[in-house]
Amino acid sequence: MKLVLKLIAGILAGLLLGLYAPEWIARVLFTAKTVIGQLISFTIPLIILFFITSGIASLPKNSGRLLGNTVALAYGSTLVAGTLAFLVASQLIPLLTSEATMTSQEGTKLASYITMEIPPLFGVMSALAAAFVFGIGISATGARDLRSVADQGRDIIDLLLAKVIIPLLPFYIAGVFVEMTVEGTVFTTLKTFGVVLVMAIVMHWLWLSVLFVGTGLALGRSPATLIKNMLPAYFTAIGTMSSAATIPVALKASKNNGVSDAIANFTVPLCATIHLSGSTITLVTCATAVMFLSEHLAIPSLLEIFPFIMMLGVVMIAAPGAPGGAVMSALGLLTSMLGFGDASIALMIALYLAQDSFGTACNVTGDGVIALWADHFAKGSETSLPAVEQDAA
């Protein structure tokens, strides 16, 4: 929550400095934004490579059918949630926001004091392909040394995010809002912020309602009771902003819903890294809003956005537990598949982190539905449960 307050402070600082400060101060902040943006661009492929490699390599083994069912349910939930979010956002955002957001006033263009490029070691798609090759290869061959390299690389990048990039984000956001203020586009952008945040949170609740009502009716359970038992996990996730930190509470909540211990111990920790329906709703909604605000971008059709949604469900595997991990993992797709520039990326980060706790809460609460269905499919299967108990132990 301190990070959210710092981001708000960064937005206000950028707005005030852009309006009242001398131009050289605005250029200093814009220069900081440029340098930080280069560091973020350099880090994106490393996030994808190490986190996805480590995540695939660490998937539980000897759990066969149950693992397949859980992954399919989690990925299917993410795809449907993202698709519905786009259908709603693409229709409502143009209606609920002023047409003035489509145009910008002509103002002064800021220039950075420093021209520095930090090119990534490799492209986003190369990193994704390499992550799958090494992740699946490590899992198949049991290459302990290579898995250790992937895990240690993940820890290093996680440390870079937690200690350097995340703390610098308020300055990055401030630089972007200085630029927008000087160029005369900031107020039309801010008008859309509140609408998008409220829309994302409401869609989280609607999606959870669909999940729990549909599951309750299909399994002959009370949807109200199922939701009530998961509320402790929801509110804990709002406070921690981390799916990983909420696992103990989510485990207890799932077991209170009647999920067997073995299934809950398997599915809940796994879904904390592979089931990100709430984060997907937020990212798709915010991306649609940013494309609406940007003159050089246009809201795509469903067929054009669907590959992006499909890839989101993949790149966020084992996203770091630090606040903002999902959006940091998705930045590569935003630039490579949707054509986002530095200003658009900064708006995405600001929008996403402003509601990160609610997106995480939707992820964690939805894990309870995945656990219920995994338990339902596992009943009567004598081949899955012993392996689950072994993994859980």
Side-chain angles (χ1 to χ4, degrees), residues 316-391:
M316 290 190 295
I317 292 176
V327 70
M328 298 304 296
S329 300
L331 293 183
L333 297 182
L334 292 169
T335 56
S336 63
M337 298 186 72
L338 298 184
F340 278 32
D342 288 344
S344 299
I345 288 295
L347 288 177
M348 279 295 301
I349 294 173
L351 280 168
Y352 183 88
L353 291 180
Q355 63 71 65
D356 190 16
S357 57
F358 290 95
T360 301
C362 181
N363 294 338
V364 171
T365 309
D367 293 347
V369 171
I370 305 298
L372 283 165
W373 280 106
D375 186 62
H376 174 73
F377 290 134
K379 286 181 178 178
S381 174
E382 298 179 357
T383 58
S384 297
L385 293 179
V388 175
E389 292 170 355
Q390 182 179 358
D391 288 333

Side-chain angles (χ1 to χ4, degrees), residues 58-387:
S58 63
L59 286 176
K61 301 175 182 62
N62 302 321
S63 47
R65 182 178 177 183
L66 180 59
L67 173 61
N69 287 338
T70 304
V71 172
L73 287 167
Y75 190 63
S77 172
T78 299
L79 288 183
V80 176
T83 301
L84 293 178
F86 173 75
L87 292 175
V88 173
S90 61
Q91 296 299 316
L92 291 185
I93 288 176
L95 294 177
L96 298 178
T97 55
S98 170
E99 292 183 1
T101 57
M102 295 295 293
T103 60
S104 61
Q105 302 173 9
E106 197 65 33
T108 305
K109 295 288 185 180
L110 290 177
S112 174
Y113 283 114
I114 300 175
T115 301
M116 180 178 63
E117 292 188 5
I118 311 176
L121 295 176
F122 33 75
V124 170
M125 297 310 294
S126 296
L128 186 61
F132 271 92
V133 169
F134 285 110
I136 296 173
I138 293 170
S139 179
T141 63
R144 295 183 179 180
D145 292 340
L146 197 53
R147 176 173 176 176
S148 177
V149 170
D151 291 343
Q152 291 173 9
R154 177 203 60 197
D155 293 340
I156 291 172
I157 299 302
D158 198 8
L159 189 65
L160 175 65
L161 288 172
K163 300 298 183 182
V164 180
I165 293 180
I166 297 296
L168 287 176
L169 284 182
F171 299 97
Y172 181 65
I173 299 299
V176 171
F177 274 83
V178 159
E179 180 184 14
M180 289 193 298
T181 302
V182 171
E183 293 180 355
T185 61
V186 68
F187 291 108
T188 53
T189 299
L190 288 175
K191 289 178 182 178
T192 309
F193 257 48
V195 173
V196 174
L197 294 178
V198 172
M199 184 184 301
I201 294 172
V202 170
M203 281 196 286
H204 292 160
W205 295 340
L206 290 175
W207 177 241
L208 290 176
S209 299
V210 169
L211 287 178
F212 280 95
V213 171
T215 298
L217 294 177
L219 300 183
R221 305 283 300 278
S222 167
T225 301
L226 296 177
I227 294 175
K228 178 183 175 182
N229 289 335
M230 291 301 300
L231 285 180
Y234 183 89
F235 290 110
T236 301
I238 289 179
T240 62
M241 298 175 69
S242 169
S243 297
T246 314
I247 286 176
V249 181
L251 271 172
K252 182 176 176 60
S254 291
K255 293 175 183 179
N256 288 341
N257 271 337
V259 178
S260 65
D261 288 355
I263 300 297
N265 291 340
F266 177 88
T267 56
V268 171
L270 178 60
C271 286
T273 60
I274 67 172
H275 182 229
L276 295 136
S277 57
S279 297
T280 302
I281 288 172
T282 303
L283 287 168
V284 171
T285 303
C286 294
T288 304
V290 171
M291 287 186 285
F292 177 75
L293 289 171
S294 302
E295 292 180 343
H296 65 285
L297 297 174
I299 297 178
S301 66
L302 177 60
L303 290 178
E304 292 170 333
I305 197 72
F306 192 68
F308 170 75
I309 298 173
M310 293 179 64
M311 294 302 295
L312 270 183
V314 175
V315 301
M316 290 190 295
I317 292 176
V327 70
M328 298 304 296
S329 300
L331 293 183
L333 297 182
L334 292 169
T335 56
S336 63
M337 298 186 72
L338 298 184
F340 278 32
D342 288 344
S344 299
I345 288 295
L347 288 177
M348 279 295 301
I349 294 173
L351 280 168
Y352 183 88
L353 291 180
Q355 63 71 65
D356 190 16
S357 57
F358 290 95
T360 301
C362 181
N363 294 338
V364 171
T365 309
D367 293 347
V369 171
I370 305 298
L372 283 165
W373 280 106
D375 186 62
H376 174 73
F377 290 134
K379 286 181 178 178
S381 174
E382 298 179 357
T383 58
S384 297
L385 293 179

Side-chain angles (χ1 to χ4, degrees), residues 29-52:
L29 203 53
F30 179 75
T31 301
K33 168 254 179 185
T34 302
V35 174
I36 297 170
Q38 288 290 317
L39 177 61
I40 292 174
S41 298
F42 173 81
T43 308
I44 288 170
L46 299 178
I47 294 174
I48 292 173
L49 174 63
F50 286 114
F51 278 92
I52 294 182

